[in-house]
Amino acid sequence: MNSGAGADRARGRGTRSDPKSDPKSDPDGVRVGPLEWPEFDESDYWSWDRVQGRVGASLFTIWLIPNTVQALELGRPTAPVLALTLGYSAAYLAVWWLAQGWPPRHRIALVAALFVLGIGYELVTGPASSPAVLAFAVSATMILLPLRWAARIGLACVGGAALLSWLLQGRLDWQDILILALITVTTLSISRISRLVTRLHAAQADVRALAVAEERARLARDLHDVLGHSLTTITVKTALARRLLESGAPQERAMEEIRDTEELSRRALADIRATVSGQRRGSLAVELVTARAALRAAGIEADLPRAVDDVAAGLEEPLAYVLREGVTNVVRHSGASRCTVRLGARWLEVVDDGPGPAEPAEPPGALGNGLAGLTERMAAVHGTLTAGPVAGGGYRLRAEVPE
């Protein structure tokens, strides 16, 4: 039952299809692309764990102090040495405390500045330094740039440091080269893992949001189905009881309708509680009994099945909801004098002989809440829902699940 059921009756066939997924796409949505810019979760930027991590990374700048002191002891120019030490350290600290939220062009500028400062620091400090001091610039590359860029820049940096060592010293400084290579590989691996963790957290948040949305949709759909039919039947029965009392009919007949209404109200309340807790299950046999009572109260001749034993396993619940919605719409909108329900092992059909509402509540082509909810229920069991006028007058609602 819904306010747009009249529109449901005015259209032919309504279906709902799922979007086609790209087989080449990432099914889990957590793969880190080689050219993808890293994203950083800023929601817990000042959490204790993250602050601890940034403080720990910042402490690595202490590594520059022995080189700087040794360079000053060797008589290297004081101002350039100190300026480059402070500048290199400040740029490295900016990687951890500022740059993670910067746009790509600013990150590139910072990485370039780190390499310039690092190379300048190595040249100014002379023999007191080593190619390994470029590890700060390499680390920034792994953290701020796409993985493919970072890997290539890191490889070029290690190769360049080896070549420079060979040209300046006539030999390879294996210790410093290996340290730089190890730092490159380690920070690249840590960066990739960090990005995966960030994507996983985002995926988990999406899953939680989708679960909440799905639960809300389920609750709305079930409440619509439960309350729609129950309130429609209660309205019809109370109206009948009122007419009986006004016409002077025997009081016992009116009291029978009132007692039925009271029982329907209790049942509806129990259904709502079960729906909210997710424990409600549709029963086709119960819906047949309820449908017969609702049609009788509305003065509509009912031709209903007497048994549901032949219904295939697993299909009784979705077909029960189809029956409930179909009969509710017949009572509310059809103006019919007769309603026929046919039932098979994997299908159910509700047909009436009514003209339908004079003015549909919704524009043609728009599914009302009732049929939209039924389409979703049938799609869940790989079934289809067909709704439309019948030649010669009337309306048919048919649900079917192919074998």
Side-chain angles (χ1 to χ4, degrees), residues 1-2 55 83 85 143 154-155 173 179 208 217 242 265 298 320 333 383:
M1 184 279 296
N2 57 5
V55 170
T85 300
I143 294 169
L155 181 62
D173 188 348
I179 290 175
R208 287 192 294 268
R242 175 181 56 79
S265 299
H333 305 291

Side-chain angles (χ1 to χ4, degrees), residues 284 311-320 345-347 378 381 401:
L284 194 53
V311 176
L315 298 183
E316 182 176 343
E317 182 177 358
L319 293 182
R346 307 182 70 84
W347 59 271
M378 294 307 299
V381 292
V401 180

Side-chain angles (χ1 to χ4, degrees), residues 237-257:
K237 282 187 166 292
T238 53
L240 177 59
R242 175 181 56 79
R243 290 195 299 269
L244 289 173
L245 292 174
E246 290 175 349
S247 65
Q251 185 178 5
E252 181 57 31
R253 175 69 193 284
M255 291 302 297
E256 179 183 352
E257 298 296 334

Side-chain angles (χ1 to χ4, degrees), residues 15-351:
T15 59
R16 182 187 181 110
S17 61
D18 294 328
K20 295 181 180 179
S21 59
D22 181 4
K24 295 182 180 180
S25 64
D26 177 24
D28 300 319
V30 295
R31 183 177 62 87
V32 178
L35 296 177
E36 180 181 338
W37 287 89
E39 299 176 356
F40 301 95
D41 184 9
E42 298 181 2
S43 60
D44 59 345
Y45 184 79
W46 292 107
S47 66
W48 177 241
D49 289 340
R50 294 192 64 180
V51 169
Q52 278 185 310
R54 290 197 296 274
V55 170
S58 301
L59 291 177
F60 279 101
T61 55
I62 297 175
W63 187 26
L64 294 176
I65 294 178
N67 294 339
T68 300
V69 172
Q70 186 178 1
L72 294 176
E73 290 176 348
L74 293 174
R76 308 300 289 186
T78 303
V81 169
L82 293 179
L84 287 169
T85 300
L86 294 176
Y88 197 27
S89 300
Y92 176 73
L93 293 176
V95 172
W96 294 98
W97 294 94
L98 299 174
Q100 294 181 10
W102 288 0
R105 64 180 183 276
H106 293 167
R107 299 187 194 183
I108 293 174
L110 178 59
V111 170
L114 273 163
F115 274 104
V116 170
L117 291 169
I119 294 172
Y121 178 84
E122 185 176 358
L123 294 176
V124 168
T125 54
S129 184
S130 70
V133 298
L134 292 178
F136 295 98
V138 171
S139 298
T141 303
M142 305 304 163
I143 294 169
L144 298 179
L145 301 185
L147 291 176
R148 181 174 295 175
W149 294 13
R152 292 178 178 178
I153 292 173
L155 181 62
C157 184
V158 174
L163 179 61
L164 184 63
S165 175
W166 177 267
L167 293 176
L168 295 180
Q169 303 179 20
R171 62 182 180 82
L172 290 178
D173 188 348
W174 287 108
Q175 180 177 355
D176 289 336
I177 298 302
L178 288 176
I179 290 175
L180 184 59
L182 181 61
I183 291 175
T184 300
V185 173
T186 302
T187 53
L188 181 63
S189 301
I190 293 175
S191 178
R192 186 176 186 278
I193 293 172
S194 175
R195 299 179 200 204
L196 282 173
V197 170
T198 300
R199 295 296 293 274
L200 285 171
H201 286 167
Q204 289 173 348
D206 290 342
V207 168
R208 287 192 294 268
L210 289 173
V212 171
E214 178 64 23
E215 179 62 13
R216 288 175 176 171
R218 180 199 69 81
L219 188 60
R221 183 178 63 238
D222 290 354
L223 285 177
H224 170 275
D225 293 342
V226 170
L227 287 179
H229 181 78
S230 299
L231 291 179
T232 296
T233 306
I234 290 171
T235 301
V236 171
K237 282 187 166 292
T238 53
L240 177 59
R242 175 181 56 79
R243 290 195 299 269
L244 289 173
L245 292 174
E246 290 175 349
S247 65
Q251 185 178 5
E252 181 57 31
R253 175 69 193 284
M255 291 302 297
E256 179 183 352
E257 298 296 334
I258 292 174
R259 283 192 290 270
D260 288 347
T261 301
E262 182 182 6
E263 177 61 27
L264 280 171
S265 299
R266 289 197 179 98
R267 191 184 307 165
L269 181 60
D271 285 345
I272 291 173
R273 289 170 176 166
T275 298
V276 171
S277 64
Q279 298 176 351
R280 185 178 187 276
R281 294 292 181 268
S283 170
L284 194 53
V286 172
E287 294 302 333
L288 282 173
V289 174
T290 306
R292 191 181 302 276
L295 292 170
R296 179 177 64 83
I300 300 174
E301 181 183 353
D303 182 5
L304 307 179
R306 297 188 177 278
V308 298
D309 300 337
D310 295 335
V311 176
L315 298 183
E316 182 176 343
E317 182 177 358
L319 293 182
Y321 281 110
V322 174
L323 176 61
R324 171 184 281 254
E325 181 67 24
V327 171
T328 298
N329 287 341
V330 169
V331 172
R332 292 198 66 203
H333 305 291
S334 69
S337 60
R338 179 181 176 82
C339 176
T340 302
V341 176
R342 293 290 178 261
L343 179 64
R346 307 182 70 84
W347 59 271
L348 182 141
E349 186 176 82
V350 180
V351 182

